[in-house]
Amino acid sequence: MQLHLDFPEIPKPHDQLWEHLDEATRRTVIAQLAKLIMQAAPVHREPGSKCND
């Protein structure tokens, strides 16, 4: 299920846009989004704490 947010000032993209991208482009887009998410949510660990990753 995909929810669509209605922002009147932003034009709506075509629903099938993702399907028109080739696999290499999709992977690139996903990798770039992952980097942006990581930058937006930096991890702040306490000194001496263990990482559970």
Side-chain angles (χ1 to χ4, degrees):
M1 180 169 117
Q2 182 175 355
L3 301 176
H4 296 281
L5 300 176
D6 189 23
F7 294 105
E9 67 278 0
I10 300 174
K12 293 181 182 179
H14 297 285
D15 289 336
Q16 294 84 18
L17 179 61
W18 185 255
E19 285 80 18
H20 289 284
L21 299 176
D22 61 277
E23 188 64 30
T25 303
R26 288 182 187 187
R27 289 178 189 261
T28 301
V29 169
I30 291 171
Q32 290 298 321
L33 286 173
K35 287 179 186 178
L36 290 171
I37 291 169
M38 288 174 56
Q39 291 173 358
V43 176
H44 298 286
R45 293 195 175 103
E46 306 252 343
S49 66
K50 291 184 179 181
C51 179
N52 292 330
D53 292 344

